[in-house]
Amino acid sequence: MASASEGSVRVDSWIWAVRLIKTRSLAATACRAGHVRVNGDRAKAAQAVRPGDEVRVWHAGRERIVEVVKLVRKRVGAPEAVTCYADNSPPPPAPLEAAVVPRRDRGAGRPTKRDRRELDRLRRTAGPGTER
């Protein structure tokens, strides 16, 4: 068992250990970017968390809101990780509600260099007063 006997653990280490974020360096980067909040305040990577603290992590396009139940320093298996926090996150959005990225038809949009040259040739020969 990887429980911490002391009263606190670094927030980046804890969110990595309970598998909210894949790597410890990603957890530290999320803290530096302001994507991690502890009890409503932006958290630095070395900030301590204690049982009862609320941790909000914005990762992979959604916000996870968890309450610290048990402290762990080392990464634990998924079944044990779930026992270390109480998940108060809203349910993930349905696939239809997720933002749909618009797709552009091939050939629509900005012309290629070849297309621009052809357009220039057409403009030179078709327009009045364009004789050079």
Side-chain angles (χ1 to χ4, degrees):
M1 182 113 140
S3 290
S5 58
E6 295 85 42
S8 65
V9 175
R10 288 174 55 117
V11 67
D12 64 338
S13 179
W14 187 81
I15 61 178
W16 163 75
V18 297
R19 298 175 173 266
L20 293 177
I21 292 187
K22 199 172 211 175
T23 66
R24 174 112 184 254
S25 64
L26 281 176
T29 302
C31 290
R32 279 194 302 277
H35 299 300
V36 178
R37 294 184 174 271
V38 176
N39 297 325
D41 298 325
R42 283 180 64 166
K44 292 186 177 181
Q47 182 172 336
V49 291
R50 294 172 177 76
D53 286 348
E54 179 191 66
V55 178
R56 292 174 176 252
V57 179
W58 181 262
H59 181 67
R62 70 181 278 225
E63 185 177 36
R64 299 286 307 268
I65 304 168
V66 297
E67 182 181 339
V68 179
V69 173
K70 185 168 78 172
L71 298 177
V72 289
R73 288 185 190 275
K74 296 190 178 183
R75 196 162 171 98
V76 294
E80 187 177 343
V82 174
T83 65
C84 296
Y85 60 86
D87 196 352
N88 301 325
S89 305
L96 296 177
E97 294 175 9
V100 178
V101 177
R103 297 248 171 151
R104 181 170 48 89
D105 293 333
R106 186 168 173 82
R110 184 173 180 188
T112 63
K113 190 172 188 176
R114 173 188 254 173
D115 294 337
R116 288 195 308 271
R117 285 180 178 161
E118 289 175 4
L119 288 170
D120 287 343
R121 257 187 252 120
L122 285 173
R123 287 184 186 133
R124 269 189 250 128
T125 58
T130 56
E131 297 157 10
R132 292 186 184 175

